[in-house]
Amino acid sequence: MKPSLAKGTRDFTAQEVSRRKYIINILQNNFELFGFQPLETPSFENLSTLTGKYGEEGDRLIFKILNSGDYTSETNQEDWDNKNHQKLVSQISEKALRYDLTVPFARFVAMNHGKLTFPFKRFQIQPVWRADRPQKGRYREFYQCDADVVGSESLLQEVELVQLYLKSFADLKVPVTIHMNNRKILSGLAEYAGITDKLIDFTVALDKLDKIGKEGVVKELLEREISQESIDKLDFLFSQSDDALENLLQLKEKFAGNEIGLKGVEELEYVLTQSLSLGVDMQNLVFNITLARGIDYYTGAIFEVKADEVAMGSIGGGGRYDNLTEVFGVKNIPGIGISFGLDRIYLVMEELNLFPEEASSKIEYLFANSGGEETIEALKLIMQLRAKGISAELYPENAKINKQFTYAEKKGIKNLVFLGEEEIKNNTVTYKDLEAGEKKTVSLEEFLGS
């Protein structure tokens, strides 16, 4: 049987690994500059930890892990006969691969809150898994790069996370726009339209606007038993102006007497105005009133980052979640966090040809092997180069020089070194720059000083 990859997963070549590492290093450097500390959590959690946190659609995408041994021995036969998968899951699976990094982080905070100094700022760069339908930029195994703050209600956290997004993408040279909204505004809209009891249905459908368009959203709202009258009241959502502050002013009028809606407008207005006062270009920030982010735990600000020059889904997102640790029995620990989508950022940078040459892993020197006593001298010189942090290797066999040339070219090695009897005698080194095609003989001292 021919080997194959599981759908939604990938192998990474040396170049791809090096380029991913380039992105991660920039993100990690910025996380640390902004005062975030590293954290890692297990790749799998108790299934009960994850379920019920992401909404109905999110729960369906969690990868469950079968119990060890004969996992069928303690199941209810009636549930098997009736193919009741919802009841069977809890009987045959106690663990699951993590769906994101936020819920495991909330679990960590709930377990360790007595030992933490608040506000607690952490960053986490680890893979997550989702049983999603694979497509361009969407995988079943992918990395998230998260930065979260818990223990502070200050809206300055939102402002700072906007700064973190913009600095990180500027360092990566990826032009982006940050789309912003507030879940309180969405709750206010539900109240305005008389569909408070359908808030989750409303936000889940609205969050699909980019994928299915206005007609698709309206159709789904009707299917979720939201009346045409309510939908008509919300029609203004689909024709917003480009002026964020003007749109917020329009909302203030519609939300007269609507406490939660006005609170959301006030919060978002603060984040926008403070960001502008710090020199953020308004073109980089968009008040997207239809942005919902279909995850149930968000309670305030929500963000989504989109690349300006590439047709791609969001390459970052996040928001405020003031009640998440409550499900683990710990109250009053507000939180907010953002995530960078490593895999999609990679695709955007690749398409825009933004990776610098140093982002590719290349060996500096290959020493030709002539099969003589010079081999040991070459290994000694290689050791000295490596001690200086310069990558070098010896071709392992005494092969024809053309074969060694071909090996160097295919691996993208920059220089081919010849260390023969003459060079050893004169304390010199001869090497060929394979990119420029130039051959040089230099003193050993000059070579090691390079």
Side-chain angles (χ1 to χ4, degrees):
M1 191 174 81
K2 288 184 179 180
S4 62
L5 280 170
K7 281 186 179 179
T9 65
R10 296 147 297 156
D11 293 320
F12 296 110
T13 64
Q15 184 184 64
E16 289 167 333
V17 170
S18 297
R19 288 179 168 184
R20 287 164 66 85
K21 189 176 177 182
Y22 170 79
I23 298 170
I24 288 171
N25 286 344
I26 285 178
L27 296 181
Q28 181 168 327
N29 181 60
N30 281 317
F31 291 156
E32 291 173 350
L33 284 175
F34 278 69
F36 294 86
Q37 296 181 313
L39 175 73
E40 291 189 359
T41 58
S43 58
F44 60 91
E45 298 273 349
N46 290 323
L47 181 58
S48 58
T49 297
L50 302 179
T51 51
K53 315 302 187 303
Y54 307 106
E56 183 182 334
E57 291 195 13
D59 280 355
R60 283 204 299 268
L61 301 181
I62 294 173
F63 271 112
K64 286 82 175 177
I65 300 173
L66 290 174
N67 294 337
S68 301
D70 184 3
Y71 55 85
T72 64
S73 60
E74 296 183 10
T75 56
N76 185 300
Q77 187 61 44
E78 186 179 342
D79 291 332
W80 275 110
D81 294 340
N82 294 332
K83 297 182 179 178
N84 190 332
H85 75 279
Q86 289 184 327
K87 287 187 177 180
L88 283 171
V89 165
S90 62
Q91 296 171 46
I92 65 176
S93 175
E94 296 173 354
K95 306 286 189 297
L97 294 175
R98 61 172 170 242
Y99 177 90
D100 73 352
L101 300 178
T102 305
V103 171
F105 173 55
R107 187 265 309 149
F108 170 84
V109 172
M111 290 178 66
N112 297 279
H113 65 282
K115 306 172 190 174
L116 302 176
T117 301
F118 293 106
F120 177 62
K121 302 173 75 171
R122 83 84 171 86
F123 75 86
Q124 198 168 344
I125 301 174
Q126 286 186 279
V128 299
W129 294 265
R130 296 183 185 178
D132 213 342
R133 189 167 70 88
Q135 52 186 287
K136 183 183 179 182
R138 188 183 294 273
Y139 306 100
R140 288 179 171 174
E141 178 186 60
F142 57 97
Y143 267 72
Q144 284 189 337
C145 310
D146 285 13
D148 289 71
V149 188
V150 292
S152 173
E153 293 181 340
S154 170
L155 293 175
L156 288 174
Q157 304 294 356
E158 278 86 335
V159 176
E160 188 163 65
L161 289 176
V162 167
Q163 302 292 314
L164 176 56
Y165 260 145
L166 291 175
K167 183 180 186 310
S168 299
F169 283 112
D171 289 349
L172 291 167
K173 296 182 171 53
V174 177
V176 298
T177 302
I178 302 177
H179 292 245
M180 303 171 63
N181 199 2
N182 192 298
R183 286 299 279 256
K184 294 184 180 75
I185 289 177
L186 294 170
S187 296
L189 288 169
E191 186 176 316
Y192 170 75
I195 53 171
T196 303
D197 60 329
K198 295 282 188 179
L199 175 61
I200 299 300
D201 291 311
F202 166 55
T203 55
V204 167
L206 194 61
D207 198 47
K208 298 177 182 177
L209 181 63
D210 282 352
K211 299 174 187 172
I212 60 178
K214 177 183 175 181
E215 288 184 12
V217 171
V218 169
K219 181 183 176 185
E220 185 160 332
L221 290 172
L222 290 169
E223 288 171 353
R224 291 174 179 268
E225 299 180 352
I226 293 175
S227 70
Q228 185 64 53
E229 182 184 357
S230 295
I231 293 172
D232 289 342
K233 289 192 75 173
L234 296 169
D235 188 66
F236 74 95
L237 295 180
F238 306 105
S239 56
Q240 295 288 292
S241 78
D242 293 332
D243 189 325
L245 296 177
E246 181 184 312
N247 292 335
L248 285 170
L249 185 62
Q250 181 189 29
L251 272 183
K252 280 183 182 178
E253 296 172 359
K254 292 184 181 295
F255 284 164
N258 185 328
E259 187 177 342
I260 191 167
L262 288 173
K263 180 67 174 171
V265 170
E266 178 188 327
E267 289 180 4
L268 186 54
E269 191 173 38
Y270 178 87
V271 176
L272 285 170
T273 54
Q274 294 305 315
S275 296
L276 292 174
S277 71
L278 290 170
V280 174
D281 191 329
M282 195 60 194
Q283 291 184 333
N284 294 126
L285 299 179
V286 172
F287 167 36
N288 184 348
I289 198 171
T290 63
L291 175 63
R293 291 196 63 79
I295 296 180
D296 288 355
Y297 55 64
Y298 290 129
T299 57
I302 44 179
F303 305 101
E304 199 156 273
V305 183
K306 297 188 178 181
D308 291 344
E309 298 173 10
V310 177
M312 179 76 67
S314 63
I315 58 175
R320 181 166 282 280
Y321 47 91
D322 284 347
N323 307 312
L324 195 55
T325 57
E326 283 190 26
V327 299
F328 300 116
V330 180
K331 296 183 178 181
N332 302 320
I333 303 184
I336 181 169
I338 59 173
S339 182
F340 293 78
L342 172 63
D343 300 277
R344 287 187 175 182
I345 293 171
Y346 182 102
L347 290 174
V348 168
M349 293 183 67
E350 188 174 51
E351 191 164 329
L352 297 177
N353 197 27
L354 294 176
F355 285 108
E357 186 179 342
E358 61 266 25
S360 296
S361 177
K362 286 192 176 181
I363 298 162
E364 195 74 25
Y365 295 105
L366 172 69
F367 281 68
N369 190 332
S370 60
E373 293 180 5
E374 298 87 355
T375 302
I376 296 301
E377 295 302 317
L379 286 172
K380 288 178 182 178
L381 191 47
I382 287 170
M383 286 176 65
Q384 292 181 68
L385 288 171
R386 289 172 179 168
K388 290 175 171 287
I390 299 170
S391 59
E393 67 170 283
L394 174 72
Y395 193 81
E397 291 147 355
N398 176 17
K400 290 182 179 179
I401 195 62
N402 285 345
K403 186 174 182 181
Q404 299 188 51
F405 261 114
T406 302
Y407 174 82
E409 288 171 350
K410 285 185 174 179
K411 286 194 70 173
I413 296 173
K414 296 180 180 179
N415 301 284
L416 184 59
V417 181
F418 305 93
L419 191 65
E421 201 175 303
E422 195 68 25
E423 282 82 9
I424 294 170
K425 178 183 173 183
N426 297 320
N427 282 326
T428 59
V429 175
T430 300
Y431 68 93
K432 184 170 185 178
D433 182 332
L434 297 180
E435 292 176 354
E438 297 176 358
K439 196 171 183 179
K440 293 181 181 179
T441 298
V442 298
S443 70
L444 185 59
E445 187 178 48
E446 183 183 344
F447 181 74
L448 289 172
S450 61

